[in-house]
Amino acid sequence: MERLITQAIREERSADLHRLRLANCGRYVAKQLHYFEQALTKHRQAKAARKRAETEQALRRAARNLSFAVEAMKERMEREQKEGQLFFVDDQIAPPYRFSKRMNVRVSYRWRRTVDDEWTFDSITFVHDVDLRPDYATPVTKRKPSAAKLEQNLQNRLYQTWEHLMRGALCSVRDYFRKGGDGNKIPDTYRVTVDSYSRELNNYSTQFWRQQP
């Protein structure tokens, strides 16, 4: 990869680099590849010496970012393969058709203490009651919205909350196992905590182990 990146900079074209199919290595790598190709195009089109010096500097910076992204992806894959021998958290969680004040996110997982043990399959359900009291810091519009618009706004707000809850739930279960947590101590249900000031979810809301003795 490093050789092909250097070649792309020297030849000012990235055709050979495409053989590696970096665009299929996840959104982060694909985005950095896109930035590299944009920088390559700008450098190729630059004519004046000063402009080419600027575009070359930007191109080499984009090349370093692309290399870093690929290395980070490889390290993540290696870590996940190693972790997968002891635990797996299912992140395929579909949102409900319609959202309500009471939210439930069920995270399924499997785990074992050693690679010689049998898998244990279980789940934890995170429960959250959304505080729907109005936010008085938000300016009030002069024109009163229709009932349909109010319902749409509410569903959008609840969807954003559900996404936050879902992501936090997944991260909490993964972090728990990554820290060597005992799967037998994961509760079946956990009522999440909220920020005492904003009354909303924060980075600690789904950390179920903080409530355990």
Side-chain angles (χ1 to χ4, degrees), residues 4-15:
L4 290 176
I5 289 178
T6 301
Q7 178 182 328
I9 295 175
R10 183 177 65 252
E11 298 179 355
E12 299 183 7
R13 62 184 185 89
S14 59

Side-chain angles (χ1 to χ4, degrees), residues 108-123:
S108 300
Y109 58 88
R110 66 173 182 259
W111 74 284
R112 56 186 177 183
R113 287 190 174 86
T114 70
V115 294
D116 297 323
D117 294 335
E118 295 293 328
W119 286 107
T120 297
F121 295 82
D122 213 331
S123 66

Side-chain angles (χ1 to χ4, degrees), residues 25-204:
C25 295
R27 287 181 296 178
Y28 179 46
V29 174
K31 182 169 66 174
Q32 297 305 321
L33 175 62
H34 176 67
Y35 291 157
F36 173 76
E37 291 181 328
Q38 281 187 324
L40 192 63
T41 299
K42 290 180 179 179
H43 183 59
R44 184 171 59 247
Q45 294 175 345
K47 302 301 181 183
R50 179 178 178 182
K51 185 63 176 179
R52 283 187 62 82
E54 293 177 355
T55 56
E56 181 181 1
Q57 184 178 7
L59 176 58
R60 295 192 179 281
R61 182 166 58 249
R64 289 194 298 270
N65 291 340
L66 176 59
S67 297
F68 174 81
V70 173
E71 288 301 319
M73 179 271 296
K74 289 171 59 179
E75 291 177 3
R76 177 181 175 182
M77 287 184 61
E78 292 170 356
R79 182 182 67 177
E80 290 181 350
Q81 288 176 349
K82 182 178 180 180
E83 292 174 347
Q85 297 178 7
L86 298 178
F87 72 88
F88 172 78
V89 180
D90 186 0
D91 60 1
Q92 300 301 308
I93 303 176
Y97 176 75
R98 186 178 183 280
F99 297 96
S100 63
K101 176 182 176 181
R102 169 62 62 91
M103 291 187 174
N104 297 282
V105 170
R106 181 172 177 265
V107 177
S108 300
Y109 58 88
R110 66 173 182 259
W111 74 284
R112 56 186 177 183
R113 287 190 174 86
T114 70
V115 294
D116 297 323
D117 294 335
E118 295 293 328
W119 286 107
T120 297
F121 295 82
D122 213 331
S123 66
I124 174 176
T125 299
F126 294 83
V127 180
H128 175 44
D129 288 319
V130 183
D131 190 336
L132 294 179
R133 285 179 291 178
D135 183 2
Y136 296 103
T138 303
V140 180
T141 58
K142 295 181 179 180
R143 185 176 180 181
K144 185 177 180 180
S146 65
K149 184 63 175 179
L150 289 173
E151 177 62 18
Q152 180 183 353
N153 292 340
L154 174 61
Q155 287 298 306
N156 290 339
R157 174 185 172 187
L158 292 176
Y159 175 69
Q160 292 176 354
T161 302
W162 181 88
E163 272 201 323
H164 191 175
L165 174 64
M166 184 268 294
R167 289 194 299 267
L170 287 172
C171 289
S172 291
V173 178
R174 286 171 178 161
D175 290 347
Y176 180 77
F177 281 120
R178 283 173 178 170
K179 295 177 181 178
D182 185 350
N184 288 325
K185 294 183 178 180
I186 297 179
D188 294 331
T189 304
Y190 178 71
R191 183 175 295 277
V192 303
T193 59
V194 295
D195 186 273
S196 58
Y197 177 75
S198 67
R199 311 189 305 270
E200 297 180 350
L201 300 172
N202 57 31
N203 293 337
Y204 305 101

